[in-house]
Amino acid sequence: KNEVEQSPQNLTAQEGEFITINCSYSVGISALHWLQQHPGGGIVSLFMLSSGKKKHGRLIATINIQEKHSSLHITASHPRDSAVYICAVILNYGGSQGNLIFGKGTKLSVKP
Amino acid sequence: DVKVTQSSRYLVKRTGEKVFLECVQDMDHENMFWYRQDPGLGLRLIYFSYDVKMKEKGDIPEGYSVSREKKERFSLILESASTNQTSMYLCASREPGLALYEQYFGPGTRLTVT
């Protein structure tokens, strides 16, 4: 079983829709990242969370440490939001060197 | 702005060739990483380095080696390329210390081994 599970794997939305991508993990973590990868490959970090909620523009990320779950929300989605969204966790023990464990990604396509 | 660059965006090599993938970062980061990304499998860690000349195996080191002679440069070496090494390769760097420092990724190298 993967330690980090994302759902859905693929998501198609119409422009303007509210989008939610979910991430569940089975291990103790010290923080969680949401990453965005556009076609062509480059990955950028959207959020890093260890508790609560963060907002940046139309993007909102939440985390519930007790339930081992995080969500990424996109309000008023736009075709330029089309990308792969990746959840990655940092284990909370020192031996991991703080390395990331990745989910398999959610491919989002927003149609005009 | 942190910049992580990779030597090639696309590379085509033949089976058995020795392949070098280069990664350079300009932020004096101590930690550097090599990942491969495959459809349905996500990103998997091949090797990482936490200092010059220091390296640690990741989850899938077989068939790969690395070199870190200078702090800014981390090279991934495929000693004898095979078709199952066709993949997207991503390099990343990060400040040292656990947990809360984000990783900065390069643009990726899409390697095809024929």
mmCIF file of all heavy atoms in Angstrom, chain A residues 21-44:
data_model
loop_
_atom_site.group_PDB
_atom_site.id
_atom_site.type_symbol
_atom_site.label_atom_id
_atom_site.label_comp_id
_atom_site.label_asym_id
_atom_site.label_seq_id
_atom_site.Cartn_x
_atom_site.Cartn_y
_atom_site.Cartn_z
ATOM 1 N N ILE A 21 -8.906 18.448 -4.612
ATOM 2 C CA ILE A 21 -8.025 17.294 -4.759
ATOM 3 C C ILE A 21 -7.650 16.836 -3.351
ATOM 4 O O ILE A 21 -7.326 17.657 -2.493
ATOM 5 C CB ILE A 21 -6.760 17.654 -5.559
ATOM 6 C CG1 ILE A 21 -7.157 18.118 -6.962
ATOM 7 C CG2 ILE A 21 -5.801 16.474 -5.619
ATOM 8 C CD1 ILE A 21 -6.006 18.731 -7.746
ATOM 9 N N ASN A 22 -7.715 15.533 -3.132
ATOM 10 C CA ASN A 22 -7.498 15.003 -1.795
ATOM 11 C C ASN A 22 -6.203 14.210 -1.681
ATOM 12 O O ASN A 22 -5.747 13.588 -2.646
ATOM 13 C CB ASN A 22 -8.663 14.092 -1.402
ATOM 14 C CG ASN A 22 -9.954 14.860 -1.287
ATOM 15 O OD1 ASN A 22 -10.081 15.763 -0.473
ATOM 16 N ND2 ASN A 22 -10.913 14.527 -2.143
ATOM 17 N N CYS A 23 -5.643 14.222 -0.484
ATOM 18 C CA CYS A 23 -4.417 13.492 -0.201
ATOM 19 C C CYS A 23 -4.540 12.850 1.176
ATOM 20 O O CYS A 23 -4.823 13.547 2.160
ATOM 21 C CB CYS A 23 -3.229 14.444 -0.239
ATOM 22 S SG CYS A 23 -1.648 13.695 0.213
ATOM 23 N N SER A 24 -4.355 11.555 1.252
ATOM 24 C CA SER A 24 -4.366 10.831 2.523
ATOM 25 C C SER A 24 -3.034 10.131 2.696
ATOM 26 O O SER A 24 -2.449 9.648 1.719
ATOM 27 C CB SER A 24 -5.492 9.798 2.552
ATOM 28 O OG SER A 24 -6.737 10.425 2.474
ATOM 29 N N TYR A 25 -2.565 10.063 3.915
ATOM 30 C CA TYR A 25 -1.277 9.431 4.167
ATOM 31 C C TYR A 25 -1.391 8.543 5.401
ATOM 32 O O TYR A 25 -2.273 8.739 6.248
ATOM 33 C CB TYR A 25 -0.169 10.485 4.318
ATOM 34 C CG TYR A 25 -0.495 11.583 5.297
ATOM 35 C CD1 TYR A 25 -0.145 11.483 6.627
ATOM 36 C CD2 TYR A 25 -1.165 12.735 4.864
ATOM 37 C CE1 TYR A 25 -0.452 12.476 7.526
ATOM 38 C CE2 TYR A 25 -1.478 13.741 5.763
ATOM 39 C CZ TYR A 25 -1.119 13.615 7.086
ATOM 40 O OH TYR A 25 -1.416 14.611 7.975
ATOM 41 N N SER A 26 -0.508 7.574 5.474
ATOM 42 C CA SER A 26 -0.649 6.544 6.511
ATOM 43 C C SER A 26 0.477 6.591 7.535
ATOM 44 O O SER A 26 0.543 5.732 8.414
ATOM 45 C CB SER A 26 -0.686 5.156 5.864
ATOM 46 O OG SER A 26 0.484 4.945 5.099
ATOM 47 N N VAL A 27 1.359 7.572 7.435
ATOM 48 C CA VAL A 27 2.515 7.653 8.322
ATOM 49 C C VAL A 27 2.503 8.963 9.085
ATOM 50 O O VAL A 27 1.790 9.892 8.710
ATOM 51 C CB VAL A 27 3.824 7.535 7.515
ATOM 52 C CG1 VAL A 27 3.959 6.152 6.907
ATOM 53 C CG2 VAL A 27 3.881 8.597 6.417
ATOM 54 N N GLY A 28 3.296 9.017 10.161
ATOM 55 C CA GLY A 28 3.424 10.274 10.878
ATOM 56 C C GLY A 28 4.274 11.243 10.084
ATOM 57 O O GLY A 28 5.313 10.869 9.560
ATOM 58 N N ILE A 29 3.825 12.467 9.971
ATOM 59 C CA ILE A 29 4.549 13.434 9.154
ATOM 60 C C ILE A 29 4.856 14.682 9.962
ATOM 61 O O ILE A 29 4.211 14.970 10.972
ATOM 62 C CB ILE A 29 3.781 13.816 7.870
ATOM 63 C CG1 ILE A 29 2.563 14.678 8.189
ATOM 64 C CG2 ILE A 29 3.392 12.578 7.086
ATOM 65 C CD1 ILE A 29 1.948 15.351 6.973
ATOM 66 N N SER A 30 5.848 15.425 9.492
ATOM 67 C CA SER A 30 6.113 16.728 10.096
ATOM 68 C C SER A 30 5.598 17.854 9.213
ATOM 69 O O SER A 30 5.379 18.965 9.700
ATOM 70 C CB SER A 30 7.605 16.904 10.356
ATOM 71 O OG SER A 30 8.342 16.685 9.193
ATOM 72 N N ALA A 31 5.411 17.596 7.942
ATOM 73 C CA ALA A 31 4.854 18.623 7.053
ATOM 74 C C ALA A 31 4.400 17.964 5.758
ATOM 75 O O ALA A 31 4.774 16.822 5.458
ATOM 76 C CB ALA A 31 5.876 19.721 6.755
ATOM 77 N N LEU A 32 3.635 18.716 5.002
ATOM 78 C CA LEU A 32 3.098 18.224 3.734
ATOM 79 C C LEU A 32 3.230 19.323 2.701
ATOM 80 O O LEU A 32 2.989 20.506 2.999
ATOM 81 C CB LEU A 32 1.631 17.827 3.918
ATOM 82 C CG LEU A 32 0.864 17.284 2.716
ATOM 83 C CD1 LEU A 32 -0.149 16.226 3.177
ATOM 84 C CD2 LEU A 32 0.163 18.375 1.948
ATOM 85 N N HIS A 33 3.619 18.922 1.496
ATOM 86 C CA HIS A 33 3.725 19.871 0.385
ATOM 87 C C HIS A 33 2.639 19.595 -0.639
ATOM 88 O O HIS A 33 2.292 18.442 -0.897
ATOM 89 C CB HIS A 33 5.049 19.676 -0.358
ATOM 90 C CG HIS A 33 6.250 20.171 0.345
ATOM 91 N ND1 HIS A 33 6.715 21.457 0.215
ATOM 92 C CD2 HIS A 33 7.119 19.543 1.158
ATOM 93 C CE1 HIS A 33 7.819 21.595 0.924
ATOM 94 N NE2 HIS A 33 8.080 20.460 1.503
ATOM 95 N N TRP A 34 2.154 20.648 -1.255
ATOM 96 C CA TRP A 34 1.412 20.534 -2.507
ATOM 97 C C TRP A 34 2.276 21.143 -3.604
ATOM 98 O O TRP A 34 2.759 22.275 -3.482
ATOM 99 C CB TRP A 34 0.070 21.260 -2.431
ATOM 100 C CG TRP A 34 -0.990 20.472 -1.732
ATOM 101 C CD1 TRP A 34 -1.454 20.649 -0.466
ATOM 102 C CD2 TRP A 34 -1.725 19.362 -2.270
ATOM 103 N NE1 TRP A 34 -2.419 19.720 -0.169
ATOM 104 C CE2 TRP A 34 -2.617 18.922 -1.271
ATOM 105 C CE3 TRP A 34 -1.727 18.700 -3.499
ATOM 106 C CZ2 TRP A 34 -3.490 17.863 -1.441
ATOM 107 C CZ3 TRP A 34 -2.593 17.646 -3.682
ATOM 108 C CH2 TRP A 34 -3.473 17.230 -2.659
ATOM 109 N N LEU A 35 2.450 20.367 -4.680
ATOM 110 C CA LEU A 35 3.301 20.761 -5.797
ATOM 111 C C LEU A 35 2.466 20.795 -7.068
ATOM 112 O O LEU A 35 1.473 20.074 -7.205
ATOM 113 C CB LEU A 35 4.449 19.756 -5.971
ATOM 114 C CG LEU A 35 5.279 19.438 -4.731
ATOM 115 C CD1 LEU A 35 6.163 18.215 -4.986
ATOM 116 C CD2 LEU A 35 6.148 20.621 -4.352
ATOM 117 N N GLN A 36 2.896 21.628 -8.006
ATOM 118 C CA GLN A 36 2.226 21.738 -9.300
ATOM 119 C C GLN A 36 3.238 21.464 -10.406
ATOM 120 O O GLN A 36 4.339 22.016 -10.393
ATOM 121 C CB GLN A 36 1.646 23.145 -9.457
ATOM 122 C CG GLN A 36 0.891 23.378 -10.754
ATOM 123 C CD GLN A 36 0.599 24.857 -10.948
ATOM 124 O OE1 GLN A 36 1.497 25.685 -10.926
ATOM 125 N NE2 GLN A 36 -0.662 25.186 -11.143
ATOM 126 N N GLN A 37 2.832 20.615 -11.349
ATOM 127 C CA GLN A 37 3.709 20.302 -12.475
ATOM 128 C C GLN A 37 2.949 20.542 -13.768
ATOM 129 O O GLN A 37 1.998 19.846 -14.090
ATOM 130 C CB GLN A 37 4.176 18.844 -12.413
ATOM 131 C CG GLN A 37 5.168 18.477 -13.497
ATOM 132 C CD GLN A 37 5.673 17.053 -13.355
ATOM 133 O OE1 GLN A 37 4.973 16.191 -12.851
ATOM 134 N NE2 GLN A 37 6.893 16.806 -13.805
ATOM 135 N N HIS A 38 3.436 21.542 -14.527
ATOM 136 C CA HIS A 38 2.808 21.850 -15.804
ATOM 137 C C HIS A 38 3.367 20.936 -16.883
ATOM 138 O O HIS A 38 4.479 20.380 -16.736
ATOM 139 C CB HIS A 38 3.054 23.312 -16.178
ATOM 140 C CG HIS A 38 2.081 24.240 -15.534
ATOM 141 N ND1 HIS A 38 0.763 24.321 -15.942
ATOM 142 C CD2 HIS A 38 2.208 25.102 -14.499
ATOM 143 C CE1 HIS A 38 0.128 25.205 -15.193
ATOM 144 N NE2 HIS A 38 0.975 25.694 -14.320
ATOM 145 N N PRO A 39 2.633 20.782 -17.989
ATOM 146 C CA PRO A 39 3.177 20.022 -19.121
ATOM 147 C C PRO A 39 4.541 20.569 -19.489
ATOM 148 O O PRO A 39 4.752 21.774 -19.520
ATOM 149 C CB PRO A 39 2.146 20.280 -20.227
ATOM 150 C CG PRO A 39 0.891 20.615 -19.517
ATOM 151 C CD PRO A 39 1.290 21.309 -18.255
ATOM 152 N N GLY A 40 5.478 19.682 -19.745
ATOM 153 C CA GLY A 40 6.848 20.151 -19.966
ATOM 154 C C GLY A 40 7.742 19.821 -18.800
ATOM 155 O O GLY A 40 8.959 19.783 -18.946
ATOM 156 N N GLY A 41 7.178 19.590 -17.625
ATOM 157 C CA GLY A 41 7.937 18.942 -16.563
ATOM 158 C C GLY A 41 8.232 19.717 -15.308
ATOM 159 O O GLY A 41 8.271 19.135 -14.254
ATOM 160 N N GLY A 42 8.460 21.044 -15.367
ATOM 161 C CA GLY A 42 8.918 21.746 -14.183
ATOM 162 C C GLY A 42 7.934 21.675 -13.037
ATOM 163 O O GLY A 42 6.724 21.777 -13.213
ATOM 164 N N ILE A 43 8.459 21.491 -11.829
ATOM 165 C CA ILE A 43 7.620 21.374 -10.636
ATOM 166 C C ILE A 43 7.851 22.595 -9.767
ATOM 167 O O ILE A 43 8.998 22.996 -9.527
ATOM 168 C CB ILE A 43 7.984 20.097 -9.846
ATOM 169 C CG1 ILE A 43 7.625 18.848 -10.658
ATOM 170 C CG2 ILE A 43 7.277 20.075 -8.494
ATOM 171 C CD1 ILE A 43 8.054 17.546 -10.009
ATOM 172 N N VAL A 44 6.749 23.169 -9.283
ATOM 173 C CA VAL A 44 6.866 24.288 -8.354
ATOM 174 C C VAL A 44 6.089 23.954 -7.085
ATOM 175 O O VAL A 44 5.096 23.237 -7.114
ATOM 176 C CB VAL A 44 6.356 25.609 -8.957
ATOM 177 C CG1 VAL A 44 7.215 26.016 -10.123
ATOM 178 C CG2 VAL A 44 4.912 25.508 -9.368
#
